[in-house]
Amino acid sequence: MDLSQALNTFIDESHELLSQMESILLSAESGDCSDDELNALFRCAHTIKGSAGLFGLDELVRFTHVVENLLDRLRAHTLEFSPELVSLLLASKDQIAALIGAVVAKEQFALDEELLAILGNYDTSRSMAQCASETSQVTVEPSIASGTEHWHLSLRFGPDVLRNGMDPLAFIRYLGNLSRHMHVETLCDHLPAIAEYDPETCYLGFEVSLEAETSKAELESVFEFVLDDAHIVILPPDSKIEDYVSLIQELPEGKQRLGELLLACGSITPSELESALSLQRKNEGLRLGEILVGEGHVQSPVVDAALAKQKRGEERRQLESRSVKVPSDRLDALIDQVGELVISCAATQVQARRAVNPELLEAAANLLRLVEEVRDTALRLRMSPIGEVFGRFPRVVRDVAKELGKEIELQITGADAELDKAMIEKISDPLMHLVRNAIDHGIESPERRLASGKDLRGTVCLNAYHESGSIVIEVTDDGAGLDPAHILRKAVQRGVVTADVSLSDAEIFRLILEPGFSTAETVTNLSGRGVGMDVVRSGVETLRGNLDILSELGCGTTMRICLPLTLAIIDGFQIGIGASAFIFPLDAVVECIDLPADIGHSEYLNLRGEVLPFMRLGQLFGISSNHKARHNVVVVRFGGKSAGIVVDQLHGECQAVIKPLGPLFSGVAGISGSTILGSGEVALILDVPQLVQLAAAGAGGRSAAAYMAHH
Amino acid sequence: MGQLVASRQKATSGMTEIGGGRQFLVFSLADEVFAIDILRIREIIEFGHVTTVPLMPDTVRGVINLRGAVVPVVDLVARFGRGQMQTNRRTCVVILEVGHGDDLQVIGVMVDAVNEVLEIAAADIEPPPAFGTRLRADFISGMGKAGGRFIILLDADRVLSVTEMASLGAALKTSAVDG
């Protein structure tokens, strides 16, 4: 087996388990945690520990073991949740995540020994305190020197023990009487399907570790009556690794499973397991089953049954995994190829139209329709719900709120809105920033909230929805809101703007996105926010998105991020200026109208009574055109604002596979990418959000240059 | 690709190898002859339709469709600050790779004509002269001696520095929108 692949599976699985742990812990904090959840919590830690042991991740095992102990106590209700304990466990979860992160990055990671010590002590100090309170005279026994009296027993009862009148359980109970401490792991691997199940047959095996002052003879005498029917191995304390290796080899469970069990029993340490496995690898030539049969330890029917059982298990696992994990580069390759297919289809259609052959045209149209469906399906493969990011926020909100001594309620809506997986990962950081800011600077302190007659508990809302081919993500708080006068004063002070500008509130809010504006000091003095807002803006803008700020003093603030759904393919609307062709994303186009001939130098159009700012694209791009006929206006809309873009010709709808323009064109305004037309020529895709803002800024009396200076 | 990079590194370090020759693609540009390391060159295509990207400096002529990939085309005459290149029937686009950060960026360069592939021995490559050329000194990686004349060997990474050309574009953009 390729170990690195298995390691990746382990890492993926651990991430899932850790996020499960987190959500359970968070719900536990709010007071409702069922036994099922406690068990699930324990299993998460347990599974991670077990798997980590297989990969020889000693640090991880050492740490998780302590956590697991705590969780075990919780599960057994000898320990109850307290806010302090939840924080501790959340910190532990982070530590585990960090340890796994270090494995991914192939780095050394210094384990937080302090945390480990706290966890360890939490365990004992609590339990001791409890013991002391129960019986005051109990003298605490010196803890048993680890491993000195640690026996390990491997019990494999034969199928006929029950029929012969022996009950395996009785033996285990008796062992329990002998020992001070006992740990039993049950092996159910041989249990058949229910149809084949014979209640008179014993299928179970046990791995038992004991702490007892006893002798090997005494233990052997326990099993005197079943020696013929069972396979019993007794390893005395301080057994050599080799003994464990031979134990592993003798038993039919497979080395890894068994290794896990031995670890779980605490009979061996992870490093011992590692060396045992490496010793065992030397015997790799023979299959384990063959060795076993060869040595007469097991009858071949048993081995066959075990193999069949294993196979059934695999089939079941395949059914369970209804989702498929695909490397993203394969997906990208598929989408690229489908993109090429769309382009050649469009080319075919152009040729068919030129050939004036109705049958060919119809066939081409059919083909294009099918290919478009394939394209849509292919694109949907990349889509993931935004909830993947939102899911991380309950924890962030809890931590930040706790840190600041505020009470915050987080409301999440629209978590199932989908967007490109690649974008989900990239939007996570800017969102995180916005949420932190909302709690830190948006929501007032509890005293101030009370004073202004608000609910003591502040609310932060995360919302996502689709709007005209974009996804809109909003972070809303019901805090103090932004004070435009304050911000303007501060901005003038910092030299971001000159004192004599006249700006609308919305423009003033945008000032907090300026790099020069944000320093920690500003923010604490100001009822606004500003820490790294320029970072948020650039993060959003690299995704070709847009950040809007809506705020009302005293009522709260909404940060609205608009992002394109994908960076791969769009439906386009092709227009021409002079000899150049450009593409509007079709989602952004509202309608097309004629440019009135008597418009003169006005910057507004009257669109059915509404004011519509407009701009001449040819002028902006410096394209000379001798277009004599009447000009057209494409009305586009983005983020609630409309604008008219004056162009020469309208060419109509087309498919556009977005081709990135590369770093050379990173600074170009008004262009978001390029695509290849059916003719094979490259056409540029217009950046509607930027154009809308340019038009609005131009019409609002401010020159485009001022707009550009702010971006 | 890994192999390509490896061989390129070998070739670059080959400068110091005694007797090891390097191959260059020699081309003419506005009546002058230049050469670029052949390992940089991907292919040479006919000059066809170029889509102009607005608000870019003259240096960047536009973009072309290279079998489905959009590739920028650079006017070297403009890059050298000598006006704009006139295209003719023999105009070609040399597609080459330049380093941009950790990535390789594919860029096309317009040339008047492609002349030959020339092998120049390491001993025949002189360091760039401190003065006397009309070209920015850092554009020149060396002077190759072949057949009794000197050919300017261009430093592709410097000449086609994406960072530099992009910042030119940004500067131009602001002034264009300003005016």
Side-chain angles (χ1 to χ4, degrees):
Chain A
M1 190 165 86
D2 183 359
L3 209 61
S4 70
Q5 211 172 356
L7 188 63
N8 284 337
T9 315
F10 160 66
I11 289 161
D12 285 350
E13 198 181 75
S14 304
H15 281 307
E16 278 162 29
L17 290 169
L18 285 172
S19 57
Q20 195 188 345
M21 272 176 86
E22 188 173 283
S23 63
I24 296 176
L25 284 170
L26 288 173
S27 74
E29 190 175 39
S30 53
D32 48 335
C33 193
S34 66
D35 279 4
D36 282 352
E37 281 181 317
L38 281 174
N39 284 330
L41 200 58
F42 172 79
R43 268 199 309 277
C44 289
H46 182 74
T47 311
I48 292 175
K49 187 184 84 168
S51 313
L54 296 181
F55 293 102
L57 308 170
D58 294 356
E59 291 280 273
L60 191 54
V61 173
R62 188 157 69 91
F63 186 82
T64 322
H65 180 70
V66 181
V67 178
E68 189 191 331
N69 281 346
L70 267 182
L71 294 176
D72 196 25
R73 300 184 65 83
L74 277 170
R75 186 169 69 146
H77 293 287
T78 56
L79 192 66
E80 291 303 326
F81 270 120
S82 63
E84 165 201 12
L85 180 58
V86 171
S87 296
L88 198 60
L89 287 171
L90 281 172
S92 315
K93 178 245 143 192
D94 289 345
Q95 180 76 197
I96 295 172
L99 281 163
I100 293 172
V103 173
V104 178
K106 298 193 169 57
E107 285 168 355
Q108 285 295 317
F109 183 81
L111 190 62
D112 188 347
E113 296 290 346
E114 205 179 323
L115 181 63
L116 190 65
I118 296 172
L119 286 170
N121 290 338
Y122 200 96
D123 197 15
T124 51
S125 63
R126 274 304 153 103
S127 55
M128 279 182 188
Q130 272 177 0
C131 288
S133 66
E134 278 161 17
T135 48
S136 49
Q137 282 117 342
V138 164
T139 51
V140 179
E141 288 181 17
S143 66
I144 302 129
S146 60
T148 45
E149 292 298 316
H150 193 122
W151 295 79
H152 188 91
L153 283 78
S154 255
L155 313 176
R156 295 295 178 277
F157 292 100
D160 291 326
V161 276
L162 293 171
R163 273 184 281 264
N164 294 342
M166 304 288 174
D167 184 1
L169 192 59
F171 291 102
I172 290 166
R173 259 194 221 117
Y174 184 68
L175 283 175
N177 293 338
L178 273 181
S179 61
R180 271 186 301 231
H181 182 78
M182 180 167 84
H183 185 106
V184 182
E185 285 283 327
T186 310
L187 285 156
C188 315
D189 298 17
H190 297 294
L191 274 178
I194 196 78
E196 297 158 41
Y197 181 80
D198 175 3
E200 286 182 15
T201 306
C202 174
Y203 298 100
L204 297 177
F206 302 91
E207 292 289 320
V208 183
S209 71
L210 289 179
E211 268 165 24
E213 281 159 15
T214 177
S215 66
K216 189 165 184 178
E218 191 180 348
L219 284 174
E220 276 173 344
S221 70
V222 173
F223 297 101
E224 206 173 344
F225 300 108
V226 282
L227 275 179
D228 294 337
D229 265 337
H231 180 80
I232 310 286
V233 178
I234 299 169
L235 291 177
D238 289 331
S239 284
K240 287 197 255 16
I241 298 272
E242 282 81 352
D243 297 329
Y244 282 106
V245 173
S246 58
L247 172 67
I248 286 175
Q249 283 185 345
E250 272 172 32
L251 296 170
E253 272 76 32
K255 55 187 176 180
Q256 296 200 327
R257 171 96 173 91
L258 205 66
E260 192 184 341
L261 288 170
L262 291 176
L263 266 182
C265 292
S267 295
I268 58 171
T269 65
S271 59
E272 282 170 348
L273 173 65
E274 180 62 25
S275 56
L277 286 177
S278 69
L279 258 176
Q280 211 234 329
R281 263 177 224 125
K282 292 174 188 160
N283 295 327
E284 202 72 353
L286 276 172
R287 292 209 343 247
L288 212 52
E290 287 168 13
I291 301 173
L292 296 171
V293 179
E295 289 178 6
H297 287 302
V298 275
Q299 302 91 338
S300 59
V302 179
V303 176
D304 289 345
L307 283 175
K309 162 84 184 154
Q310 198 179 353
K311 205 169 174 187
R312 267 202 302 280
E314 271 166 20
E315 279 164 9
R316 195 168 52 224
R317 226 166 295 140
Q318 275 167 6
L319 273 178
E320 276 166 8
S321 60
R322 275 185 298 166
S323 59
V324 184
K325 278 188 180 146
V326 181
S328 61
D329 51 347
R330 273 191 222 170
L331 218 50
D332 291 343
L334 174 70
I335 286 166
D336 271 356
Q337 284 157 3
V338 173
E340 295 306 315
L341 199 58
V342 171
I343 290 171
S344 12
C345 268
T348 314
Q349 211 172 22
V350 169
Q351 293 304 321
R353 206 170 291 148
R354 223 170 265 171
V356 202
N357 180 339
E359 285 88 11
L360 183 60
L361 199 58
E362 194 184 327
N366 262 336
L367 186 61
L368 187 62
R369 187 178 52 79
L370 286 173
V371 170
E372 276 171 21
E373 277 171 23
V374 174
R375 176 204 67 174
D376 290 345
T377 317
L379 274 183
R380 219 168 300 133
L381 294 179
R382 291 175 61 106
M383 296 297 197
S384 295
I386 184 92
E388 282 184 22
V389 176
F390 283 1
R392 299 177 201 163
F393 284 100
R395 170 75 190 280
V396 175
V397 170
R398 174 199 171 274
D399 285 0
V400 177
K402 201 149 248 190
E403 204 175 295
L404 297 167
K406 293 178 181 173
E407 263 192 65
I408 308 286
E409 188 189 339
L410 178 70
Q411 291 176 354
I412 293 180
T413 42
D416 50 356
E418 288 188 329
L419 80 163
D420 202 301
K421 177 92 178 162
M423 302 187 63
I424 286 189
E425 276 148 29
K426 288 183 188 138
I427 198 62
S428 159
D429 279 353
L431 265 185
M432 195 71 84
H433 230 106
L434 289 179
V435 170
R436 275 180 211 267
N437 267 344
I439 301 169
D440 193 356
H441 311 300
I443 307 264
E444 318 92 320
S445 61
E447 301 85 55
R448 278 189 56 186
R449 286 188 70 88
L450 273 184
S452 51
K454 286 185 188 176
D455 188 359
L456 191 68
R457 170 181 274 234
T459 309
V460 174
C461 301
L462 276 172
N463 186 23
Y465 55 92
H466 289 272
E467 189 196 77
S468 57
S470 302
I471 185 165
V472 180
I473 307 167
E474 291 177 337
V475 180
T476 308
D477 64 64
D478 65 344
L482 298 172
D483 182 352
H486 239 102
I487 295 173
L488 192 60
R489 231 184 353 258
K490 220 61 193 179
V492 171
Q493 221 173 60
R494 306 213 154 257
V496 178
V497 287
T498 50
D500 53 350
V501 289
S502 69
L503 298 171
S504 70
D505 280 3
E507 283 164 336
I508 292 173
F509 294 154
R510 289 199 69 84
L511 292 177
I512 66 171
L513 304 178
E514 296 304 314
F517 193 83
S518 53
T519 70
E521 186 243 347
T522 324
V523 167
T524 40
N525 291 343
L526 197 81
S527 63
R529 54 194 78 177
V531 175
M533 284 301 284
D534 57 320
V535 181
V536 175
R537 192 188 73 184
S538 62
V540 171
E541 283 178 358
T542 40
L543 294 174
R544 301 225 167 269
N546 205 14
L547 181 59
D548 267 339
I549 305 166
L550 313 171
S551 182
E552 198 170 326
L553 196 57
C555 297
T557 307
T558 296
M559 296 283 179
R560 182 182 289 160
I561 300 175
C562 286
L563 292 175
L565 284 184
T566 173
L567 305 167
I569 307 183
I570 54 164
D571 281 315
F573 184 78
Q574 191 183 338
I575 56 102
I577 299 169
S580 311
F582 294 93
I583 310 266
F584 279 106
L586 189 63
D587 301 307
V589 177
V590 182
E591 61 182 314
C592 299
I593 53 175
D594 281 346
L595 183 69
D598 57 347
I599 192 77
H601 290 291
S602 166
E603 283 174 319
Y604 294 106
L605 272 177
N606 180 347
L607 180 67
R608 291 184 294 275
E610 299 275 318
V611 172
L612 182 77
F614 76 94
M615 70 188 307
R616 292 168 193 274
L617 198 58
Q619 229 166 35
L620 173 77
F621 285 165
I623 302 170
S624 57
S625 117
N626 45 10
H627 188 67
K628 291 282 181 287
R630 182 172 272 206
H631 286 274
N632 291 289
V633 181
V634 181
V635 180
V636 291
R637 185 173 184 81
F638 189 80
K641 278 182 248 162
S642 297
I645 312 291
V646 180
V647 303
D648 289 356
Q649 306 102 26
L650 306 173
H651 292 312
E653 283 181 42
C654 64
Q655 298 292 323
V657 179
I658 301 181
K659 303 276 180 185
L661 272 175
L664 190 52
F665 302 100
S666 54
V668 177
I671 304 283
S672 69
S674 64
T675 187
I676 293 166
L677 299 175
S679 62
E681 286 172 19
V682 180
L684 300 171
I685 299 171
L686 296 167
D687 185 338
V688 171
Q690 261 189 18
L691 291 178
V692 168
Q693 282 195 341
L694 272 175
R702 300 172 59 220
S703 73
Y707 167 82
M708 293 314 298
H710 283 293
H711 287 257
Chain B
M1 187 56 92
Q3 265 180 340
L4 195 70
V5 173
S7 65
R8 176 174 305 145
Q9 278 164 349
K10 204 172 133 202
T12 328
S13 61
M15 286 280 276
T16 52
E17 280 171 29
I18 300 160
R22 287 205 290 161
Q23 289 193 320
F24 291 87
L25 181 80
V26 181
F27 55 88
S28 51
L29 192 71
D31 301 327
E32 260 190 273
V33 177
F34 299 95
I36 288 183
D37 193 329
I38 196 113
L39 293 170
R40 287 293 173 142
I41 308 228
R42 260 204 188 178
E43 61 186 294
I44 300 164
I45 57 170
E46 208 177 324
F47 180 80
H49 180 87
V50 174
T51 302
T52 317
V53 179
L55 309 180
M56 283 303 281
D58 289 344
T59 311
V60 182
R61 186 58 80 96
V63 287
I64 55 166
N65 167 15
L66 180 69
R67 292 187 303 278
V70 175
V71 173
V73 174
V74 170
D75 181 342
L76 275 191
V77 176
R79 178 74 175 137
F80 295 158
R82 301 173 189 174
Q84 256 201 306
M85 184 172 161
Q86 303 302 314
T87 54
N88 60 41
R89 221 164 31 81
R90 289 186 65 198
T91 305
C92 306
V93 179
V94 179
I95 308 289
L96 32 75
E97 289 168 345
V98 294
H100 173 64
D102 293 335
D103 295 337
L104 279 179
Q105 186 72 25
V106 177
I107 290 183
V109 167
M110 290 163 65
V111 301
D112 280 333
V114 172
N115 303 356
E116 58 181 326
V117 173
L118 200 63
E119 181 157 347
I120 305 178
D124 288 336
I125 297 177
E126 305 275 331
F131 57 90
T133 55
R134 296 189 296 139
L135 220 54
R136 258 170 63 181
D138 64 333
F139 283 178
I140 306 174
S141 75
M143 304 294 285
K145 201 158 59 177
R149 63 199 167 120
F150 274 107
I151 299 172
I152 296 176
L153 309 179
L154 293 175
D155 182 333
D157 282 337
R158 292 281 176 76
V159 173
L160 300 173
S161 158
V162 170
T163 325
E164 201 182 309
M165 289 192 290
S167 66
L168 273 178
L172 199 82
K173 173 190 74 183
T174 324
S175 63
V177 178
D178 244 334

